[in-house]
């Protein structure tokens, strides 16, 4: 073992490009076809000096790849969205941003990802290249490297095009303690922008809306915005991205983890007009629709304005807003104050509103 990684810019033993247009079972064999796919397709988009070494695992050294004075934060996520491409994103961007965001929600900066690709025999290699290109773009924006990857191929009909599972590794400075059980009575509940866009964009791509809309998925890596927020407001108590289950389910989770009652003002929750119309049409509740580029932040009340100003200054948070507060210790409740002055209790999403949303 050398002290440092050798620098590897390209494949160690080049294998010519095979002329398959589609994934065949042989791409999962581990032999020549697999290596050709790795070198000529995967490394073309995702390659870096660690991945290109071609070892069975990636080596991260304390004091080098792992900064001193930090602790590791790890998250994993599987992506099975249907369809694979939709307005505002695709499964590639989703597979990077979903995991980047989950690592970020504990106050860590994500740095490394691993990825597993499950490909179906017959999947077009041109679609795979589009997806990998999208992953590369999202990874570059988020400042993360894909340092280990695996590909498996199923027979036609045994999976659905492509599934991608990613694991993220990030580092948080020792002393940072941001988690779901840290909400306190008096905390302000902030939301970085309108909810429901991702869910409706995917529904539209499935042809479920019956009309064309301008709605785009909000998929975005949020680690840059979180870094700015933590610099301005180091006393953030809770961060979470309201993905599957939406805003309401995520806030019920936080209320239960922290044993508090959270009260929201319905009028203050931003929902784009087109999203509201689409939800009315489909009988869906935007408070339970998936988001992939929004965050909830619970901060001490006196930090509200500073936190909002920081979120609004970031390209992914111009519509950040105060939507409610933590009112008291309890057994974990989420309350919604309506414009009529009534209050109702919100529960977690029951059942599945839209399957295969992320
Ligand atoms: Mg999450």
């Amino acid at each position: 073992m050398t002290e440092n990684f050798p620098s590897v810019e390209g494949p160690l033993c080049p294998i010519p490009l095979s002329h398959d247009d589609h994934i065949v079972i042989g791409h999962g064999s581990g032999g020549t076809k697999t290596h050709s796919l790795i070198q000529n397709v995967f490394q073309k988009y995702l390659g870096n000096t660690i991945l290109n070494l071609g070892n069975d695992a990636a080596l991260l050294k304390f004091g080098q790849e792992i900064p001193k004075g930090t602790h590791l934060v790890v998250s994993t996520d599987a992506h099975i969205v249907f369809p694979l491409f939709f307005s505002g994103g695709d499964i590639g961007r989703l597979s990077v941003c979903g995991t980047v965001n989950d690592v970020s929600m504990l106050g860590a900066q994500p740095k490394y990802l691993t990825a597993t690709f499950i490909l179906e025999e017959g999947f077009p290699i041109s679609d795979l290249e589009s997806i990998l290109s999208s992953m590369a773009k999202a990874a570059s924006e988020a400042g993360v490297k894909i340092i280990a990857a695996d590909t498996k191929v199923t027979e036609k009909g045994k999976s659905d095009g492509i599934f991608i599972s990613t694991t993220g590794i990030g580092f948080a400075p020792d002393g940072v303690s941001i988690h779901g059980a840290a909400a306190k009575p008096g905390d302000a509940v902030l939301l970085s922008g309108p909810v429901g866009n991702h869910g409706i964009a995917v529904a539209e791509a499935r042809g479920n809306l019956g009309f064309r809309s301008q709605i785009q998925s909000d998929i975005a890596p949020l680690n840059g915005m979180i870094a700015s927020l933590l610099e301005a407001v180091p006393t953030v108590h809770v961060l979470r991205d309201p993905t599957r289950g939406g805003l309401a389910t995520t806030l019920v989770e936080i209320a239960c983890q922290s044993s508090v009652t959270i009260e929201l003002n319905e009028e203050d929750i931003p929902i784009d007009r087109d999203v509201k119309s689409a939800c009315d049409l489909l009988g869906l509740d935007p408070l339970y629709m998936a988001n992939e580029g929004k965050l909830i932040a619970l901060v001490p009340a006196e930090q509200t304005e500073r936190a909002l100003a920081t979120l609004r200054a970031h390209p992914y948070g111009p519509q950040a807003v105060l939507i409610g507060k933590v009112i008291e210790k309890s057994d974990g409740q989420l309350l919604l104050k309506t414009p009529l002055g009534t209050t109702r209790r919100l529960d977690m999403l029951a059942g599945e509103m839209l399957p295969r949303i992320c």
Side-chain angles (χ1 to χ4, degrees), residues 75 77 98 101-103 105 239-244 250 253:
S75 185
D77 209 342
N101 291 345
D102 279 346
V103 169
M105 296 303 150
L239 291 169
R240 193 159 290 180
D241 53 343
T243 52
R244 259 184 318 179
T250 305
E253 286 169 6

